[in-house]
Amino acid sequence: MAQQRAERADAARNRRAVLHAAEQLLAEGGGEHVSLDRVAALAGVGKGTVFRRFGNRAGLLQALLEERSRELRDAITNGPPPLGPGAPTRERLLAFLDQLGAIAEGNAVLLSAHEQACAEDKYSDPSYQSWHRHLRALLADERPDLDADFLAHAVLAVFDGDLIRHMTPPDDPRRFTRSIQRMATALLDRGAVVVS
């Protein structure tokens, strides 16, 4: 039993080390700089450890993005309003976009690398699915006349790493988030639009 606990603690330490190494490599050289070999060497673990835990580069980047979005997911489900349950739909939508924008602005390099590595599986990515599900529900609640499924995908498509970097100048670090919130508000405030 004690040995199993030690193995779990070791696995958790390795996981943290691998994610930290991937994050460091992203910061130093962008997505092209992240490989399983480099991550393993920097984390001080074998490449097989990284491979067994994450599968491939895409799995590693998905796990890193999931780490960044876990707190947001928990706040949506269990947190106080307006991000959590209990606030009017529009307030929840703007709070969600504010927090998702903050993640995006702080992790634009990660998003770019994630988009490249996970292009074929983008819509099955756990973080993406969680964001889409929540956004779709909010849009459907606020505007049942619109195709909320499509619009949730359309809003999330704007969360492009290169666009975020372009729209986040040093003197205005929340520009992207304000813009996406205004876009969503304009969408909700439009007259009845039929999307078939």
Side-chain angles (χ1 to χ4, degrees):
M1 187 69 96
Q3 186 178 2
Q4 286 180 339
R5 273 198 299 271
E7 288 173 349
R8 280 194 294 254
D10 188 49
R13 183 202 66 77
N14 286 345
R15 183 176 195 281
R16 285 191 304 273
V18 166
L19 292 176
H20 179 72
E23 186 174 54
Q24 185 177 336
L25 290 170
L26 274 172
E28 289 173 0
E32 302 77 30
H33 201 58
V34 178
S35 70
L36 296 187
D37 288 326
R38 285 185 178 141
V39 168
L42 187 58
V45 301
K47 182 180 176 182
T49 298
V50 179
F51 181 78
R52 279 189 302 277
R53 184 69 187 246
F54 300 100
N56 55 26
R57 183 173 173 269
L60 176 60
L61 292 169
Q62 282 182 342
L64 192 54
L65 185 59
E66 181 66 15
E67 285 287 310
R68 299 290 174 275
S69 63
R70 179 178 292 126
E71 190 175 310
L72 173 58
R73 189 179 59 246
D74 292 344
I76 288 167
T77 307
N78 304 311
L83 193 54
T89 301
R90 185 174 296 231
E91 287 180 32
R92 289 197 78 196
L93 175 64
L94 294 177
F96 171 68
L97 292 175
D98 178 65
Q99 292 302 303
L100 188 57
I103 291 171
E105 289 160 345
N107 296 279
V109 173
L110 170 59
L111 286 178
S112 290
H114 180 267
E115 289 158 11
Q116 291 171 356
C118 306
E120 292 181 15
D121 296 326
K122 174 180 180 175
Y123 301 110
S124 62
D125 178 83
S127 295
Y128 185 92
Q129 286 184 339
S130 172
W131 299 339
H132 180 268
R133 200 169 32 252
H134 184 61
L135 192 52
R136 181 184 63 212
L138 293 172
L139 290 168
D141 189 53
E142 186 74 10
R143 287 296 303 270
D145 58 309
L146 299 179
D147 182 345
D149 184 62
F150 169 78
L151 292 175
H153 284 301
V155 170
L156 289 174
V158 179
F159 284 81
D160 170 81
D162 294 332
L163 176 62
I164 293 161
R165 281 192 300 233
H166 178 71
M167 296 295 297
T168 309
D171 62 331
D172 192 3
R174 300 297 332 259
R175 180 181 177 198
F176 173 81
T177 295
R178 282 195 319 276
S179 298
I180 197 79
Q181 287 175 313
R182 288 176 184 150
M183 183 182 89
T185 300
L187 175 70
L188 296 177
D189 288 343
R190 291 297 227 196
V193 177
V194 176
V195 179
S196 54

